Amino acid sequence: MTDNNLGATGMYRSLVPLGEHHLPPLPYTYHALEPLISEKTLRIHHDRHHLSYVEGLNKAELKLMEARQSGNYAEIKHWQRELAFHASGHILHSIFWTIMTPISVGQPGAETRRQLDKAFGGFIPFQEQFTEAAIQVEASGWAILAWNPAWGRLETLTAEKHQNLTAWGSIPILVVDVWEHAYYLDYQNRRADFVRAWWSLVNWEEVECRLFAAMQADVSISSCAAL
Ligand code: FE
């Protein structure tokens, strides 16, 4: 069950009660991204891996609620780690499904291109940096294009697992999953082939929409009172 919550910007935002996160459905069929991502990979990735993050997040939230109620914080470190791991996994996968499409136009939208020009000197330099960052993530992780409201521009980030190396305050708008479960059945150990092929699935309209939404965030490193 969801509730509405008036955010700081005056916009209504969805509020998820503790322990009530749900697995979002894919915005396309399981075989829609073939041959670049197989039906089998997508079924396992979405129905098993993403679901486990949703379940893990719900469990961590409820365990932390129990700890608050009982006053027993003996396992607080464990459940805070579980919360960070599963929440990050749930959020990043939710974005990952929506920023892919079987009918990609192959080019960023006008504002995305303008912001890529400003931050990276163009789409191609950005794409090369993002691709290399994804290929070189150690072990499992993500490459992320994020809007950083503190300095008003885009930046690329990488995450080892989900929650390490994060930059608080950045808003991810384009993410690629480079955990082996995202590509191993289709590409085995050839992560570079997966990342390069993945570009042709990007849903640039969704990226543009996420960028506009992120740019509305009134977050700053200066004092809140100065806003
Ligand atoms: Fe994944």
Side-chain angles (χ1 to χ4, degrees):
M1 193 181 104
T2 57
D3 196 0
N4 283 329
N5 193 34
L6 192 61
T9 56
M11 290 162 63
Y12 280 94
R13 292 176 183 185
S14 172
L15 178 70
V16 181
L18 286 175
E20 292 189 29
H21 299 277
H22 294 288
L23 180 66
L26 285 178
Y28 31 72
T29 61
Y30 287 100
H31 63 268
L33 305 183
E34 289 192 325
L36 298 178
I37 298 177
S38 66
E39 175 174 353
K40 193 172 179 188
T41 292
L42 212 48
R43 276 191 190 280
I44 295 170
H45 198 173
H46 178 265
D47 294 4
R48 296 195 208 161
H49 290 277
H50 189 172
L51 179 63
S52 80
Y53 298 125
V54 173
E55 291 173 345
L57 173 59
N58 286 333
K59 186 172 181 183
E61 286 185 347
L62 296 177
K63 287 287 184 184
L64 287 165
M65 184 174 72
E66 272 175 39
R68 288 192 297 278
Q69 288 168 348
S70 67
N72 179 357
Y73 289 105
E75 294 184 349
I76 185 78
K77 257 168 72 175
H78 171 72
W79 290 114
Q80 287 292 162
R81 280 198 191 114
E82 286 286 291
L83 182 79
F85 179 76
H86 292 294
S88 297
H90 177 32
I91 289 168
L92 289 171
H93 281 94
S94 299
I95 298 171
F96 186 53
W97 308 134
T98 63
I99 62 88
M100 293 189 289
T101 174
I103 47 167
S104 173
V105 296
Q107 291 292 325
E111 184 61 24
T112 307
R113 184 171 283 277
R114 202 173 75 84
Q115 293 298 335
L116 290 174
D117 286 349
K118 232 167 59 177
F120 302 96
F123 172 54
I124 297 299
F126 152 71
Q127 193 176 34
E128 285 174 2
Q129 180 177 328
F130 188 94
T131 298
E132 281 304 315
I135 292 168
Q136 294 189 38
V137 168
E138 212 167 289
S140 300
W142 297 78
I144 296 165
L145 173 66
W147 176 260
N148 191 324
W151 29 93
R153 58 179 159 76
L154 292 166
E155 62 191 2
T156 52
L157 301 170
T158 50
E160 290 174 1
K161 297 201 285 181
H162 300 306
Q163 73 281 36
N164 302 350
L165 307 182
T166 187
W168 303 110
S170 284
I171 301 173
I173 62 168
L174 171 71
V175 302
V176 63
D177 189 341
V178 290
W179 285 57
E180 282 192 342
H181 64 228
Y183 63 86
Y184 200 83
L185 288 175
D186 302 324
Y187 298 84
Q188 293 78 52
N189 63 338
R190 292 175 287 113
R191 182 194 285 183
D193 290 350
F194 166 66
V195 175
R196 294 199 174 99
W198 168 85
W199 282 107
S200 60
L201 294 172
V202 170
N203 182 348
W204 288 106
E205 289 90 348
E206 175 69 18
V207 173
E208 179 100 340
C209 181
R210 286 186 177 276
L211 174 63
F212 274 121
M215 289 170 70
Q216 304 307 310
D218 53 0
V219 179
S220 171
I221 50 172
S222 56
S223 165
C224 187
L227 291 174

